Amino acid sequence: MKHFLQFSDLRSDEYTYLFERAALIKRKFKAYEKHHTLADRTLAMIFEKASTRTRVSFEAGMYQMGGSVVHLTTGDSHLGRAEPIDDTAQVISRMVDLVMIRTYEQTKIELFAAHSRVPVINGLTNEFHPCQILADIFTYIEHRGSIKGKTVAWVGDGNNMANTWLQASEILGFKVHLSTPSGYEVDQSVAGIRSSDSYQVFKSPLEACNGADLVTTDVWTSMGFEAENAARMKAFADWRVDAEMMAAAKPQALFMHCLPAHRGEEVDADVIDGPQSVVWDEAENRMHAQKALMEYLLLGRIA
Ligand code: CP
Ligand code: NVA
């Protein structure tokens, strides 16, 4: 049994399969062709933080594959009343085929997975957001082909998205140019990467974007860190992706943002709403990529 708790849980050849499978699943969806490979399977989704994209993409995706979904939140389950996470995992995983969790510490999802009889998918933790990077790289491939050997500029917080980009760079063979304000750097041990070979740190966000094939950013204040918002607004003021940064990147460079976005904070409106931005494809591709992922975790490779 395989879980998807962080990007490093799968190998490069498994990603190659998933990207091809996601493309096929997307083509069938666009052609209104049925794809009921998960008929009679049930996904439980547990949200301890808010979501728009993750919920809709998993829920719609599961129904489109012939399955069904159970949606739980901290407030409407015993998770919010201190039932131990391992007991919750024992119970839920006896009734469903697959579990997706969005929560705080990575240790919580690991504990759940350790007591689960079924595969567990990370729908975002403080440390990682592997489903998002799966969709982002699928989106890059759709627009520009293989990401191998390319350069991704990360401008902003050393957060769950940055950590996951770094894991992906080691597995899929691309480079990350990382620029974060001081005090908000990526911690290599938290990111869970073997070496610093696949990334380079830049003090200046403009320099990080120089020659990049993809420029990407995220909110200055992630969910769970709201108390730091005022300090972050000050610290991140120079880490707004703007037209000058996009001009420093390659002419064919794409702009991505996992969303939700704050125009005028981490990105200027003319960038996110401009011609290099692929944020709507990126959001849509969450669904196609996760359908491929759910199918793979439950059924393995389908010839
Ligand atoms: N990008 C992303 O995970 O969006 P949601 O928080 O809306 O799920
Ligand atoms: N880094 C953000 C991503 C939201 C999808 C957060 O964790 O809130």
Side-chain angles (χ1 to χ4, degrees), residues 50-54 102 129 132 258-259 286:
S51 168
T52 297
R53 281 143 287 269
T54 303
R102 167 168 288 196
H129 198 1
Q132 183 69 53
C258 64
L259 306 176
R286 288 290 304 277

Side-chain angles (χ1 to χ4, degrees), residues 192-249:
I193 52 170
R194 289 189 303 274
S195 76
S196 52
D197 293 351
S198 68
Y199 73 95
Q200 201 179 335
V201 173
F202 293 82
K203 274 214 168 79
S204 148
L206 183 62
E207 277 174 35
C209 294
N210 205 10
D213 299 279
L214 166 62
V215 176
T216 185
T217 187
D218 187 11
V219 292
W220 289 345
T221 305
S222 285
M223 292 180 277
F225 296 84
E226 289 81 1
E228 300 173 12
N229 195 42
R232 285 171 171 266
M233 294 290 268
K234 275 196 202 136
F236 282 78
D238 293 333
W239 276 263
R240 172 178 306 133
V241 177
D242 59 14
E244 193 188 0
M245 292 183 200
M246 292 308 297

Side-chain angles (χ1 to χ4, degrees), residues 6 106 122 124-130 160 163-164 167 190-191:
Q6 46 187 300
Q106 183 72 11
N122 181 347
L124 183 145
T125 56
N126 290 350
E127 290 87 350
F128 299 114
H129 198 1
N160 43 12
N163 289 338
T164 313
Q167 285 203 347
V190 175

Side-chain angles (χ1 to χ4, degrees), residues 152 154 166 175-179 196-202 208:
V152 175
W154 176 265
L166 290 185
K175 186 110 192 160
V176 178
H177 284 184
L178 206 55
S179 183
S196 52
D197 293 351
S198 68
Y199 73 95
Q200 201 179 335
V201 173
F202 293 82

